[in-house]
Amino acid sequence: MKKNKGLFVLIASVLVLTLFSCTNSNSSQNSSNVAGNSAMKVGLITDLGGINDHSMNQLSYEGLKSLHEKHPEIEISYLESKLFSDYALNVETYVNEGYDLIITVGATFIETIMDVANEYPDNKFAIVGVPIPKEFPNVSSIIFANEESGYIAGAAAALTTKTNTIGYVQGMVNDTLNLFGIGYVRGAKSINDDINILMYNANNFADIAGGNVAATNMIKNGADVIYQMAGATGIGVINACADNDIYAIGSDTDQSPIAENNVLLSALQLGDKAVENYVLDFKNNGFKSGTIIQNIANGNIAFAYNDKAIDATVKSKLQKIEKDILNKKITINTNTKDCPEFTLDK
Amino acid sequence: MAHVFDVRTAIYLLTALAFTITSKGGVFNIGVEGSFIISSIVACTVGILFGFLTPILLIPLCILSGIVASCIYNVIIYMLKTWCGINEIFSMIIFNYIALHLSNFIVKLDMIKSTNGADTTQRICENAMIVGRNRPVVSFILATVLCIITYLIIKYKPIGHNINAIKSNPKVALLSGINIDRTLFYTYMMSSFISGYAGGFYVLSISRRISVLSGFEGYGFTGILIALFADSNPVLLIFASLLFGAIKNAGRGLNLLNIPSQVIDLIMCIIILTSAIYYTNKRKKHGVH
């Protein structure tokens, strides 16, 4: 019996190893064929969220896919990072396969990008969602003006609330995400300076039950509009709002299907369009380093109003605020130090 | 080969070995994951803060500090078991989460936090890095040697006999004069030594920094899987970890061919399922349930 077990494990190991060495050699052959056609190759590396995260990873890849449909000569592929130590290995893989542009997603990638930008000066990198603190000639960052999303959400909440108390749930505390919260505070205060804002950091993007509990607590404390910027945790927030029949504000995608009568609006971030336009620009005009800001002005931050829930006068007021931001009549101060109401980072 | 064989294969082997040692004594050591996390964050902190030392001093210091941290972590679990009678599986699962969130807390300390706004620590100093192109092979050989040593200890040393006796029948072991608490303590320490070594080595040789974790990365859990697959035999572990390391890393190659890397999980599930059926059938034939 002992002997058989050993044999079993050995044979299984050897078989599968052979299998993978086969796939491996195939892949390198394929790629050399492609290189012969001199097609442009664009690769996307996800962060730990994976390719189906219903957020920036997925949106970026959808942007690439729709670009590939319009321009079949652009080769696209993606690599998923399952572990933190995959980041550098994935970049290395794409560099070895001769990719023209390597797109990475998320704040955890910053350090890795700064390392590889020095290591491979001939390759071009882009990072979606976060700014790069140092200028590199071969790195560009596609960032969103999150404070604009937050500002409209805050204004909507302040215009709708009857209890003068509004809530906000954030998925994690970091500089990029804090912009949503600061924008939210500024937007709400611009409507009503005495408004009471409840804040909660879920510290988790995947905790539906936790979001539900947080929102229920806020509702107990009098909140009647809650804005969520917390991924799947936010689904719990919206569910709690629907259960207690108060209003919620969604983010990233149109979340009104979750609770038709309760979601006022969703602050969309059109990452797919942003990435598509960026790669198209790269194809036509060559690489540009530095920061590329996506905002209301260039249409990649947009708002999906839910007419079933939102009041028509509120909607028209919000659209006016949108225009004011677009025309730079409203500028949003994003300095945390000037914003004592934003308490999550303390 | 570079696609499928890297340092992580050795890491999986080490965590699997850490699990195997305790399972020889009848303890299902699900806390490997936690002690791996703790030792890696401690080694990373030392690697950042003591950059002024020379590599010859710094690398052993990092790994040693990781081992010490892992030992302390396991001593707490051990004390909870022997002094308070808390089931070790229970406390290990909770301690996994404590380790995860402690690690996230330490990552965000100003002293070691990234200065660029990333959710990671700084990179460890140049002096602390284990570099070299052949480090996957060297690390794997080192881990293999550790495996064989463990196998020899368990097979030929008195402590090995004691551990086996405790596993097969604790009451008889007690009556025949084996100090159960002490023997278990030794197995815990051996296990935490190896998982601590794995954590330290992981930071110095591949990850170089620790990020904020939203969930477990699974180095320990994969180790448990490998150990169960190899039926807790230290020598079979070597082959099993080669297999699982290759499967885990092969996702990248599949992605490049536009095949979803979830196929990897499927393959792993099929292997585990078939091996489970195989082992169960064997046991039934021999009348053991």
Side-chain angles (χ1 to χ4, degrees), chain B residues 6-12 14 36 39-41 43-44 59 62-64 66-67 124 128-131 134-143 146 193-208:
Chain B
D6 67 12
V7 183
R8 284 181 296 191
T9 310
I11 305 286
Y12 290 137
L14 288 170
F36 181 87
S39 56
S40 56
I41 185 69
C44 179
I59 291 174
C62 287
I63 288 179
L64 260 179
I67 290 170
I124 55 169
M129 287 180 196
I130 296 174
V131 288
N134 52 0
R135 65 185 194 277
V137 180
V138 174
S139 59
F140 193 75
I141 291 171
L142 270 175
L146 266 177
F193 176 88
I194 289 170
S195 52
Y197 174 72
F201 196 78
Y202 161 76
V203 167
L204 302 192
S205 62
I206 34 178
S207 86
R208 307 286 165 69

Side-chain angles (χ1 to χ4, degrees), chain A residues 13-72:
Chain A
S13 315
V14 170
L15 277 181
V16 178
L17 277 176
T18 346
L19 192 79
F20 278 114
S21 54
C22 291
T23 21
N24 229 352
S25 55
N26 281 344
S27 83
S28 54
Q29 270 169 16
N30 274 3
S31 60
S32 59
N33 286 343
V34 170
N37 295 339
S38 76
M40 197 181 110
K41 291 202 281 185
V42 181
L44 176 84
I45 305 177
T46 75
D47 63 4
L48 297 174
I51 196 77
N52 294 319
D53 67 341
H54 295 284
S55 183
M56 221 35 105
N57 289 318
Q58 190 172 359
L59 283 174
S60 308
Y61 191 59
E62 271 163 20
L64 284 185
K65 271 199 286 194
S66 86
L67 184 72
H68 179 66
E69 274 163 26
K70 288 172 203 158
H71 300 269

Side-chain angles (χ1 to χ4, degrees), chain B residues 11-195:
Chain B
I11 305 286
Y12 290 137
L13 177 52
L14 288 170
T15 50
L17 183 62
F19 175 82
T20 303
I21 293 170
T22 42
S23 76
K24 287 280 173 204
V27 177
F28 193 91
N29 189 355
I30 207 165
V32 179
E33 182 79 30
S35 48
F36 181 87
I37 292 174
I38 283 290
S39 56
S40 56
I41 185 69
V42 168
C44 179
T45 312
V46 173
I48 292 167
L49 296 181
F50 292 84
F52 51 86
L53 295 173
T54 54
I56 297 165
L57 280 173
L58 187 55
I59 291 174
L61 181 68
C62 287
I63 288 179
L64 260 179
S65 58
I67 290 170
V68 169
S70 158
C71 286
I72 293 170
Y73 172 90
N74 273 306
V75 162
I76 298 171
I77 293 172
Y78 172 80
M79 287 197 304
L80 283 174
K81 180 184 160 74
T82 47
W83 293 0
C84 314
I86 298 169
N87 189 309
E88 70 276 12
I89 306 241
F90 183 73
S91 49
M92 273 170 186
I93 291 174
I94 291 176
F95 268 71
N96 278 346
Y97 283 94
I98 293 176
L100 180 74
H101 291 289
L102 188 64
S103 163
N104 284 353
F105 172 76
I106 296 173
V107 167
K108 286 180 180 167
L109 289 180
D110 283 340
M111 175 164 79
I112 59 167
K113 191 177 182 289
S114 153
T115 47
N116 301 317
D119 286 337
T120 56
T121 63
Q122 296 161 24
R123 201 182 204 183
I124 55 169
C125 302
E126 297 276 340
N127 290 347
M129 287 180 196
I130 296 174
V131 288
R133 277 192 159 266
N134 52 0
R135 65 185 194 277
V137 180
V138 174
S139 59
F140 193 75
I141 291 171
L142 270 175
T144 310
V145 169
L146 266 177
C147 262
I148 292 166
I149 292 173
T150 314
Y151 176 76
L152 293 178
I153 287 178
I154 286 174
K155 184 116 189 170
Y156 296 111
K157 285 277 172 186
I159 175 96
H161 296 304
N162 290 354
I163 291 170
N164 277 332
I166 289 171
K167 189 191 180 182
S168 42
N169 194 333
K171 276 182 187 160
V172 173
L174 190 66
L175 288 174
S176 57
I178 294 171
N179 189 337
I180 291 186
D181 281 354
R182 186 180 291 166
T183 315
L184 276 184
F185 181 75
Y186 287 144
T187 55
Y188 267 92
M189 286 305 101
M190 273 156 75
S191 161
S192 51
F193 176 88
I194 289 170
S195 52

Side-chain angles (χ1 to χ4, degrees), chain A residues 1-2 4-10 12-17 19-21 23-24 26-28 30 48 51-52 61 76-90 93-94 97 99 107-112 114-115 119 131-134 172-176 201 203-205, chain B residues 1-4 6 8 12 101 108 113-123 202 206-207 209-214 217-219 229-231 233 236 239-240 242-243 246-262 264-265 267 271 274-275 278-279 282-283 286:
Chain A
M1 182 186 162
K2 263 255 136 63
N4 281 336
K5 263 180 212 165
L7 258 180
F8 178 76
V9 173
L10 254 175
S13 315
V14 170
L15 277 181
V16 178
L17 277 176
L19 192 79
F20 278 114
S21 54
T23 21
N24 229 352
N26 281 344
S27 83
S28 54
N30 274 3
L48 297 174
I51 196 77
N52 294 319
Y61 191 59
I76 58 162
S77 76
Y78 69 90
L79 290 180
E80 273 187 313
S81 306
K82 303 238 158 150
L83 305 167
F84 182 62
S85 53
D86 278 337
Y87 286 4
L89 289 169
N90 282 341
T93 308
Y94 270 150
E97 297 278 332
Y99 272 68
T108 42
F109 247 110
I110 295 177
E111 294 275 359
T112 312
M114 291 174 71
D115 294 342
E119 215 170 308
I132 285 284
K134 224 170 96 187
M172 196 177 252
V173 172
N174 64 35
D175 292 346
T176 320
N201 169 26
N203 218 353
N204 193 335
F205 276 98
Chain B
M1 266 318 252
H3 280 312
V4 289
D6 67 12
R8 284 181 296 191
Y12 290 137
H101 291 289
K108 286 180 180 167
K113 191 177 182 289
S114 153
T115 47
N116 301 317
D119 286 337
T120 56
T121 63
Q122 296 161 24
R123 201 182 204 183
Y202 161 76
I206 34 178
S207 86
R209 58 168 68 85
I210 303 289
S211 80
V212 173
L213 302 170
S214 54
E217 293 222 285
Y219 288 99
F229 180 61
D231 207 29
N233 181 336
L236 284 187
F239 301 102
L242 263 177
L243 170 71
I247 293 176
K248 280 240 158 198
N249 287 336
R252 203 170 302 123
L254 287 183
N255 268 168
L256 281 178
L257 298 169
N258 277 329
I259 300 169
S261 52
Q262 276 76 10
I264 294 296
D265 299 335
I267 293 176
I271 293 175
T274 40
S275 68
Y278 179 85
Y279 285 156
K282 277 274 160 196
R283 283 193 186 139
H286 288 76

Side-chain angles (χ1 to χ4, degrees), chain A residues 3 11 20 79-80 97 105 136 160 222 258 271 307 314:
Chain A
K3 231 180 200 173
I11 292 171
F20 278 114
L79 290 180
E80 273 187 313
E97 297 278 332
V105 181
F136 289 95
T160 313
I258 302 172
D307 290 328
V314 173

